[in-house]
Amino acid sequence: MLSMKQRSKKAQKKSNTAIKIILIIVFVLAAAVFCVAGYKLLSAMNKYDEAKDAYEDIRSNFYDASSTKRPSSKEKESESETLDPDDLDDGFVWDFSKLLEINPEGVGYIRMRGGGDNIIDFPIVQGTDNAYYLDHMFDGTVNNAGAIFMDCYARDGFDSRYCIIYGHNMKSGSRMFSCLKNYKDPEYFAAHPEIDIYAGEKHYVYKVFAQFQTTTDSFVYANIYPDDETLLSMIWQGLESSAIDAGIPWEYFSADSHVITLSTCTDQYDSHLRDVVMLVRDREVVSK
């Protein structure tokens, strides 16, 4: 018969063995979780890189330097003599038909002026709903980077007096609309005060006039078909809400203004918060 001391030692040994087994199980489970998380992270990063490469391919089709569709400088020389230099194309050549070959739902292209890293430079698509292009790229490939897309209810496209364009706030890869939050920095705004919109064969320059954080029930989402009074009210609210002073006087705006809101999720990943930048059409550009 075992003594009390021997029984205690045996119980202690069993307890130590059980603890070791539990620790091994915990370690194995933690290693498994780490491996799965690492695999998912690597897979996501690969997807983002795929999106980046895919959009670079699309750009190479859009930036068609060999296109003869746009008039040469010489052909436009006599006409351009009477035009302000700011109204002239800078030599960038686009071929909208090539975008439509990739996706017939393409409606245009958005390109931020000023250059540098992490700027907007993407085709724009408009689907039959506002969900499909959240996880499908412009070419239809399934990818969480999604696409830059116009609100499906903007029935007149860029001819609408007001429309919303959506894009993800990506940390890597294509990045999409992640730079919108940067507009709250006056220096960033000063470097990128204008954005080019290519709509079919038209080329427009839009001025940034407001940047702010808002919620999904904000005035910018409330009325996709504003009447004169409502549009002016939206512009005023945008100016009042803005984190920056764009230096554009109220007299610059009118009921005939064409306004676009660029919208993306915030870094807080709150489902109700959005970073938005509001643009107003300043001029149409002609080729040199």
Side-chain angles (χ1 to χ4, degrees):
M1 190 169 179
L2 295 174
S3 66
M4 181 71 72
K5 188 175 181 180
Q6 288 173 321
R7 286 199 297 271
S8 176
K9 283 184 177 180
K10 190 174 181 180
Q12 184 65 40
K13 189 175 181 181
K14 283 183 177 180
S15 176
N16 289 341
T17 301
I19 290 171
K20 286 179 181 177
I21 291 171
I22 290 170
L23 288 174
I24 290 170
I25 292 171
V26 169
F27 177 79
V28 170
L29 287 174
V33 169
F34 179 79
C35 289
V36 170
Y39 171 78
K40 286 185 175 180
L41 179 61
L42 242 136
S43 180
M45 289 178 70
N46 285 337
K47 283 287 187 183
Y48 297 153
D49 287 339
E50 286 175 14
K52 182 179 179 181
D53 292 341
Y55 281 113
E56 284 178 356
D57 287 342
I58 292 171
R59 286 187 198 105
S60 69
N61 281 306
F62 190 63
Y63 297 0
D64 183 11
S66 64
S67 173
T68 57
K69 293 179 66 178
R70 309 302 297 170
S72 68
S73 298
K74 189 174 182 180
E75 290 169 332
K76 295 290 288 185
E77 188 174 356
S78 60
E79 181 181 337
S80 63
E81 285 175 355
T82 61
L83 296 173
D84 188 295
D86 288 340
D87 294 331
L88 296 175
D89 198 330
D90 59 2
F92 175 79
V93 182
W94 73 97
D95 189 342
F96 186 65
S97 65
K98 288 194 174 181
L99 280 189
L100 297 182
E101 287 175 10
I102 299 170
N103 188 339
E105 289 188 323
V107 293
Y109 202 95
I110 181 169
R111 189 169 180 251
M112 183 187 290
R113 294 189 171 200
D117 296 329
N118 186 19
I119 63 169
I120 300 168
D121 192 2
F122 294 100
I124 306 168
V125 66
Q126 184 179 34
T128 55
D129 58 47
N130 287 335
Y132 181 81
Y133 287 105
L134 288 172
D135 56 10
H136 288 76
M137 293 191 297
F138 182 84
D139 62 4
T141 304
V142 176
N143 190 301
N144 286 335
I148 302 299
F149 63 95
M150 181 182 289
D151 192 292
C152 66
Y153 297 107
R155 58 193 172 204
D156 295 321
F158 288 108
D159 288 332
S160 304
R161 291 194 303 174
Y162 180 72
C163 66
I164 306 169
I165 299 177
Y166 301 95
H168 284 309
N169 175 14
M170 309 298 292
K171 293 292 186 184
S172 61
S174 62
R175 296 191 184 274
M176 310 307 279
F177 271 3
S178 63
C179 65
L180 294 187
K181 61 182 176 291
N182 298 336
Y183 269 102
K184 62 190 173 189
D185 178 355
E187 289 187 9
Y188 188 87
F189 164 73
H192 307 281
E194 296 184 330
I195 292 178
D196 292 290
I197 295 285
Y198 300 86
E201 297 302 313
K202 299 283 189 179
H203 175 190
Y204 301 110
V205 178
Y206 283 74
K207 286 184 177 293
V208 175
F209 72 87
Q211 189 279 346
F212 51 95
Q213 193 171 99
T214 189
T215 56
T216 51
D217 59 356
S218 165
F219 67 92
V220 297
Y221 306 106
N223 195 332
I224 202 70
Y225 308 121
D227 55 27
D228 292 0
E229 185 178 350
T230 304
L231 179 66
L232 289 171
S233 174
M234 293 171 72
I235 292 170
W236 180 256
Q237 289 179 78
L239 290 168
E240 288 288 289
S241 305
S242 182
I244 55 168
D245 179 5
I248 303 176
W250 173 246
E251 293 74 24
Y252 176 88
F253 302 94
S254 74
D256 294 322
S257 293
H258 289 269
V259 175
I260 294 175
T261 291
L262 307 181
S263 172
T264 192
C265 296
T266 68
D267 285 339
Q268 290 95 321
Y269 297 108
D270 185 308
S271 61
H272 299 294
L273 285 177
R274 298 291 184 270
D275 277 318
V276 300
V277 167
M278 297 185 76
L279 319 172
V280 60
R281 186 184 296 175
D282 181 65
R283 60 193 183 275
E284 182 176 351
V285 180
V286 299
S287 291
K288 292 178 182 178

